[in-house]
Amino acid sequence: HAPEIRPEWLDRPALVRRLSGTPARLILIGAPAGFGKTVLTSQWSGVPGSSRFAWVTLDTGDNNPTQLWWKVISAVRRACPEFDVDPPQVLMPRQGQMLLPALIARLGALRAPIVLVLDDYHLVTHDRCHTQVEFLLGHLPQSVQVVLATRAVPPLRLARLRAAGQVTDIGIQELRFS
């Protein structure tokens, strides 16, 4: 779940407007610890009338594809009750090759836009996880955006998405206070 918005957090209205207005499929929020990546994304998720948010806070235990996609599917189910993917069925080893196409098809069938947040993505180091996330990003339905909040540049090949104008980057310069 997204952290609850706290009154002592400083509002970031310009950045929240930027996030709310971007049509990019991938929003990459990258900066060291303490720059407010999670706070900013949480504030965006609290904007009235915004898309639904499926929030995944990653940890070192999610550094394998099965655990990663279990969390993603569970988060989307919490955000979108009509999402009819059953994690145990799609994550069985024999069906592993069908997971991403099935997931993408079901995401495309959702009635309203959704933002999938993968917070602390820097904790994912498994090459297969990165390859699968790249596949997801390359085949996202128009109604889905992915946020990668990370302390390090993810080892993803994003050139095609960048060339198509499908990546919004928010980094240290944007997050730094004056």
Side-chain angles (χ1 to χ4, degrees):
H1 298 283
E4 289 190 33
I5 296 173
R6 298 169 44 177
E8 63 269 18
W9 288 351
L10 294 174
D11 288 332
R12 309 294 297 270
L15 285 174
V16 170
R17 276 193 306 277
R18 182 173 171 196
L19 291 171
S20 296
T22 184
R25 297 166 97 180
L26 172 63
I27 298 160
L28 187 56
I29 304 175
F35 270 78
K37 301 174 296 292
T38 301
V39 169
L40 173 63
T41 309
S42 183
Q43 288 173 336
W44 176 31
S45 73
V47 171
S50 65
S51 297
R52 296 180 290 181
F53 279 72
W55 192 287
V56 179
T57 300
L58 299 166
D59 58 43
T60 55
D62 302 320
N63 197 26
N64 77 60
T66 301
Q67 182 65 21
L68 173 65
W69 296 111
W70 177 279
K71 275 191 154 177
V72 166
I73 291 167
S74 297
V76 174
R77 287 179 76 187
R78 276 192 309 275
C80 308
E82 74 273 18
F83 188 69
D84 63 346
V85 173
D86 186 22
Q89 290 178 344
V90 297
L91 293 175
M92 295 177 86
R94 282 181 278 167
Q95 296 177 346
Q97 297 294 354
M98 298 303 293
L99 167 66
L100 288 175
L103 176 62
I104 291 164
R106 298 282 170 69
L107 286 170
L110 292 174
R111 294 183 294 242
I114 185 169
V115 177
L116 171 62
V117 177
L118 299 178
D119 194 17
D120 289 331
Y121 190 76
H122 58 275
L123 296 175
V124 174
T125 58
H126 195 289
D127 287 339
R128 222 166 104 215
C129 290
H130 296 309
T131 300
Q132 291 177 357
V133 168
E134 281 177 358
F135 183 86
L136 174 70
L137 292 172
H139 297 87
L140 275 180
Q142 289 298 319
S143 61
V144 180
Q145 290 179 299
V146 173
V147 175
L148 298 181
T150 180
R151 294 180 186 174
V153 176
L156 303 173
R157 294 175 295 198
L158 301 175
R160 183 171 288 155
L161 287 174
R162 284 187 194 286
Q166 292 298 314
V167 179
T168 293
D169 287 290
I170 295 182
I172 292 171
Q173 295 299 340
E174 292 85 3
L175 294 168
R176 178 177 286 144
F177 290 106
S178 63

